[in-house]
Amino acid sequence: MASLGHDELQSANIFIPEEWSDAADTIAYDSTTSPPPVAFVCGPKNSGKTTFSRLLLNVLLQRYKKVAYLDTDVGQTEFTPPGLLSLTTIDKITSDLSIPCLKTPERCFFFGDISSKRDPKTYLAYIFALYDHYRRTYLLNNGESPGNAGVPLVINTTGWVKGIGYDILVDILKYISPTHVVKICISAESKNLPAGAFWVDDGDAAVATLIEVNSARQDSFNRSVLVQKDARLLRDLRVMAYFRQCFPSDMQITTIKELSRALAAHPPYEIPVSSIKIKHLHCEVPKSEVFYSLNATIVGLAVDSEYSESFPDCMGLGIVRAIDTLKHVLYVITPVPKSSMQKVDLLLQGFIQIPTCLLQVQGCISPYMSADVLPSA
């Protein structure tokens, strides 16, 4: 069994305990390659779910050519900006688990909020649709698509494990029926998920292999220590990293001020209002206030579905930099390429906000009504 050594997985801020490595090895190597494992990672907030998920990705990539990653945490996303539910395929090992990285998802939906609280029903529907896409693409058609054979799935979840959050977690588990469930526990028992196969109804047999591990960080008394993270700061950094993609990687942008100035000078797409639909998520906005609500906000750039049973695929995020009500056009800044923008016919507005630090750079005056624009079609 070939596995990455501890030294290859350590970083300045990450410690991988032996039981984590053993758990990842168990998932990757305790079965044949077909069907591939479907691993569900859960536990209280800040207990290390994302770090374990990325460790598991690395271990699985030693056996499989690629691994699918279903991200259900809209507030602390791993490979996308916040507010998105996504399915991403990974084909390269990440040596430093502490480095966040953005990737283009195979499919994603714009939920438009950092928590499922406002609309659990839609949240679950999106997750189920992403899992269905994974099953159709990588499980059901293996005979027809040999290149897609043997693609395991890692599901990362939120740390909301009480009340409605617990009910949502159970619903996801029952729908997906994973082969393995990794439950991360901390010493504060009241914050943990219930013992055993908590998602299984009385009388039903547990099918999944349950693996319980302790949080990686412990104090001198071997008690699990929650790593407190500034969630809002992390979201802002991810949003800024996303819109940094509007510019070449070798362009000198190393500070918030430089990014703010670059975005202000960046030619936006010019989108005719007549060519798109506008939908507000989680709230109602009077028709007379639609443009006011859109201006200077982040929106999901989506392709509206013609079928009621489908959902609008999200191409990415955009900043509505300005609206010309006389010309009936919107000016949108986005790293989404023109080929994808030509498909966009729906703008989704939620509660994902432009980082305040980008709006408070002194001396940065944006040419909002610049004539230097890019046509979207």
Side-chain angles (χ1 to χ4, degrees), residues 237-268:
L237 290 174
R238 195 156 289 273
V239 169
M240 288 188 286
Y242 178 78
F243 285 102
R244 169 65 177 82
Q245 296 177 124
C246 291
F247 312 100
S249 58
D250 59 354
M251 184 173 175
Q252 187 66 24
I253 300 178
T254 58
T255 66
I256 294 174
K257 186 174 184 178
E258 288 172 347
L259 177 60
S260 182
R261 289 181 178 277
L263 287 172
H266 188 61

Side-chain angles (χ1 to χ4, degrees), residues 42 49 52 94 106 108 125 127 134-135 151 165 175 186 194 219 233 252 300 303 350 357 362 365:
C42 55
K49 294 182 298 299
F52 181 86
T94 303
E106 182 171 321
C108 72
I127 291 174
Y134 164 77
R135 288 186 72 249
V151 178
Y175 189 87
I186 61 173
D219 62 16
L233 174 61
Q252 187 66 24
V303 179
C357 55
Q362 293 185 350
I365 302 175

Side-chain angles (χ1 to χ4, degrees), residues 28-297:
Y29 294 101
D30 75 346
S31 64
T32 60
T33 57
S34 184
V38 174
F40 188 96
V41 183
C42 55
K45 65 179 181 179
N46 297 338
S47 59
K49 294 182 298 299
T50 298
T51 302
F52 181 86
S53 296
R54 290 187 67 176
L55 166 70
L56 180 56
L57 279 175
N58 280 348
V59 175
L60 287 167
L61 283 170
Q62 293 173 92
R63 187 178 189 188
Y64 300 89
K65 292 182 179 180
K66 57 184 177 180
V67 180
Y69 187 94
L70 176 53
D71 197 345
T72 71
D73 190 346
V74 287
Q76 297 297 321
T77 48
E78 181 62 14
F79 297 117
T80 69
L84 293 173
L85 291 162
S86 63
L87 180 74
T88 305
T89 49
I90 312 297
D91 59 7
K92 293 181 180 178
I93 289 175
T94 303
S95 59
D96 190 340
L97 302 182
S98 66
I99 299 177
C101 53
L102 290 170
K103 297 183 181 295
T104 301
E106 182 171 321
R107 193 175 187 193
C108 72
F109 302 121
F110 183 66
F111 183 70
D113 205 351
I114 59 173
S115 169
S116 59
K117 292 180 181 179
R118 295 182 197 268
D119 192 353
K121 183 177 179 180
T122 298
Y123 173 83
L124 284 171
Y126 283 171
I127 291 174
F128 296 166
L130 289 170
Y131 177 68
D132 289 345
H133 174 82
Y134 164 77
R135 288 186 72 249
R136 287 193 304 269
T137 306
Y138 299 111
L139 295 185
L140 301 182
N141 298 323
N142 279 346
E144 300 176 12
S145 306
N148 285 337
V151 178
L153 176 66
V154 176
I155 304 118
N156 188 32
T157 60
T158 73
W160 186 24
V161 297
K162 301 297 180 181
I164 297 175
Y166 172 79
D167 296 335
I168 291 173
L169 196 69
V170 170
D171 286 343
I172 299 173
L173 272 163
K174 289 182 176 180
Y175 189 87
I176 292 178
S177 296
T179 61
H180 298 78
V181 175
V182 179
K183 184 165 59 173
I184 302 179
C185 305
I186 61 173
S187 56
E189 290 293 337
S190 62
K191 297 181 182 294
N192 287 329
L193 285 160
F198 60 89
W199 67 97
V200 178
D201 294 328
D202 292 339
D204 292 343
V207 177
T209 298
L210 175 61
I211 303 174
E212 297 191 66
V213 297
N214 292 312
S215 178
R217 293 185 178 269
Q218 299 178 330
D219 62 16
S220 58
F221 298 100
N222 292 325
R223 295 176 303 191
S224 299
V225 178
L226 291 180
V227 181
Q228 298 300 324
K229 298 182 291 187
D230 187 331
R232 180 167 182 172
L233 174 61
L234 292 174
R235 282 192 292 272
D236 284 353
L237 290 174
R238 195 156 289 273
V239 169
M240 288 188 286
Y242 178 78
F243 285 102
R244 169 65 177 82
Q245 296 177 124
C246 291
F247 312 100
S249 58
D250 59 354
M251 184 173 175
Q252 187 66 24
I253 300 178
T254 58
T255 66
I256 294 174
K257 186 174 184 178
E258 288 172 347
L259 177 60
S260 182
R261 289 181 178 277
L263 287 172
H266 188 61
Y269 285 103
E270 186 180 66
I271 303 178
V273 174
S274 60
S275 68
I276 58 168
K277 300 175 184 177
I278 298 170
K279 183 177 180 180
H280 298 273
L281 307 176
H282 317 303
C283 68
E284 293 185 7
V285 176
K287 288 185 178 180
S288 59
E289 304 293 323
V290 168
F291 289 142
Y292 292 106
S293 69
L294 279 178
N295 195 30
T297 64

